[in-house]
Each structure stands twice: as C-alpha cells, then as structure tokens.
Amino acid sequence: GQQVMQIPQYQHVQEGEDFTTYCNSSTTLSNIQWYKQRPGGHPVFLIQLVKSGEVKKQKRLTFQFGEAKKNSSLHITATQTTDVGTYFCAHPGWNTGNQFYFGTGTSLTVIP
Amino acid sequence: DAGITQSPRHKVTETGTPVTLRCHQTENHRYMYWYRQDPGHGLRLIHYSYGVKDTDKGEVSDGYSVSRSKTEDFLLTLESATSSQTSVYFCAISEGRQGETQYFGPGTRLLVL
C-alpha cells in the first residue's frame, strides 16, 4: 500500500502568502517525484529528486529531499491564483520496477 | 502534453454491467498504467503493463482486468461494475526506466448506479 504520508490535506492561503506541503516516509526512498493537478485536470509532472539533501527550484517553487531520503517538501513562495490545485508526491515501489505510489495530495486554495 | 487519449471521457452505467475503458498512446512508451482517483485516497494503481501482453497487478486490482495486445493500447475492463468502482480513472505512460516520469491522460469519469 501507500508508503508516504502527505500533509496537510487542505490548505487555504491568501494570495501572496507562502505554502508548503510535506511527504514523509517510514523507509528510505530511492527517489521522489512531485505532480500538480489542476481542478478538473490530470496530474502533471513537476520534478524528480534523487540525491540525499537535494534542493531544486522552479521559479517560485522549491523542492527538497531530506538527508535521510525519507521526507520531501514543496514550498511555494508568494502564491498566485495560478498555483491552485492539488500537489502530489510519488515514489517508486521497492519490489517492482515501475510501480508508483502516490501520496494523498494537498489541495491548495488561493484566496485573491 | 504527451500523446495520450482516453475513451470514453464520461460514462454512466448500471451495477452488474461490463465496462471497458481504453487508453491510447502515440509515444511508443513501454509502460502503461491504470489508476483510480478517489477523494482522500490520491491515486491508486490498479494494473500496469510493461510490454505487449505483459501486465501485472497494482494495489487495488480486485474487480478489474486489463489487456494490452498492441504497444499503443491498454484496456481496463470492469467485468461486473459495482457502485464502489465509481471513480475517475487515469491512464499513464512512462518510458520504462526505474523511477521514470509518468505522463497522464485526461481521465475518464465513471458513475456506476
């Protein structure tokens, strides 16, 4: 079953505020991916983290992979209404080559 | 967006009837997946395929079967639909290397009455 816990489940922020979502695993992950799903849309790949302690940035989005490779975070600086959607983390399974397990997602609402 | 289509996009059916959902890709990717998405559960893998006629179960495979007779097509069948299978179904593809990015189709909304 699912191996990662994702928190919070919902987050409402005023436009311009920051937002962070977290994924936590009880076991070490080989890599972690982040996806965004707009309301009524399909998940879209954002980024993949592979190395311990890795930090990657995409404009206002900052992704981190923990030193122990058991947790990851996505931080959005100064949210905009275009950031609305659900953010999922995902990781590959251990005993099968290409199965993926998704977190339950964090739904972000941005209040103008 | 990757070349992935799903059909139908919406379907309403009755309990006990068979239903087949189709996923078609034009990317020639080796791996194809079927997920269901339900509130509070995120995306859960139903079945996946790692080549023509090569399929395997995911974490929620009961009540579903799949077939892949061509690289580009992956079919999901509900032999006898139940109300618990009301969901949004997404197909995804990936090239096949470990941990490869997945590209998702637009989804099929299925309502079982």
Side-chain angles (χ1 to χ4, degrees):
Chain A
Q2 290 196 125
Q3 309 294 330
V4 292
M5 296 298 296
Q6 191 171 353
I7 56 171
Q9 188 173 359
Y10 302 97
Q11 186 80 59
H12 293 232
V13 299
Q14 290 288 141
E15 189 173 15
E17 292 182 340
D18 293 355
F19 159 77
T20 305
T21 174
Y22 302 89
C23 276
N24 298 303
S25 171
S26 57
T27 56
T28 302
L29 305 173
S30 60
N31 67 70
I32 197 160
Q33 298 179 359
W34 286 91
Y35 291 78
K36 176 184 179 181
Q37 184 178 21
R38 295 182 184 275
H42 58 276
V44 175
F45 173 79
L46 293 176
I47 210 157
Q48 177 172 280
L49 304 171
V50 178
K51 299 177 183 177
S52 169
E54 189 169 16
V55 179
K56 288 188 177 180
K57 293 190 176 183
Q58 290 179 349
K59 298 182 179 179
R60 294 177 294 104
L61 277 61
T62 301
F63 304 83
Q64 293 189 334
F65 203 9
E67 292 291 339
K69 300 181 74 173
K70 290 185 177 181
N71 56 75
S72 181
S73 65
L74 159 57
H75 179 81
I76 302 178
T77 303
T79 54
Q80 299 175 359
T81 54
T82 53
D83 296 325
V84 165
T86 301
Y87 293 85
F88 294 97
C89 60
H91 69 90
W94 286 272
N95 58 350
T96 54
N98 253 57
Q99 283 200 43
F100 270 81
Y101 294 93
F102 281 77
T104 50
T106 296
S107 176
L108 173 64
T109 300
V110 179
I111 305 164
Chain B
D1 285 345
I4 311 168
T5 57
Q6 292 184 231
S7 59
R9 293 293 313 280
H10 303 269
K11 186 169 183 65
V12 180
T13 191
E14 294 186 347
T15 298
T17 59
V19 176
T20 295
L21 309 183
R22 179 180 184 240
C23 177
H24 179 79
Q25 62 148 327
T26 58
E27 305 296 323
N28 200 35
H29 282 4
R30 179 184 174 194
Y31 279 76
M32 299 185 76
Y33 309 81
W34 277 108
Y35 291 90
R36 60 177 290 172
Q37 185 173 36
D38 306 289
H41 290 278
L43 290 147
R44 292 181 292 174
L45 183 65
I46 305 171
H47 282 279
Y48 70 103
S49 169
Y50 47 96
V52 173
K53 297 186 179 179
D54 291 323
T55 65
D56 206 349
K57 296 179 180 180
E59 61 178 316
V60 290
S61 59
D62 288 349
Y64 302 94
S65 63
V66 290
S67 66
R68 192 170 179 197
S69 59
K70 297 185 291 185
T71 298
E72 57 266 34
D73 290 326
F74 193 32
L75 304 180
L76 176 71
T77 298
L78 291 65
E79 300 291 347
S80 177
T82 66
S83 58
S84 64
Q85 292 176 312
T86 291
S87 188
V88 180
Y89 291 86
F90 286 100
C91 173
I93 64 174
S94 70
E95 288 189 67
R97 294 187 297 275
Q98 173 70 38
E100 189 66 27
T101 301
Q102 296 197 7
Y103 300 95
F104 284 81
T108 294
R109 291 185 176 274
L110 176 66
L111 175 60
V112 183
L113 301 175

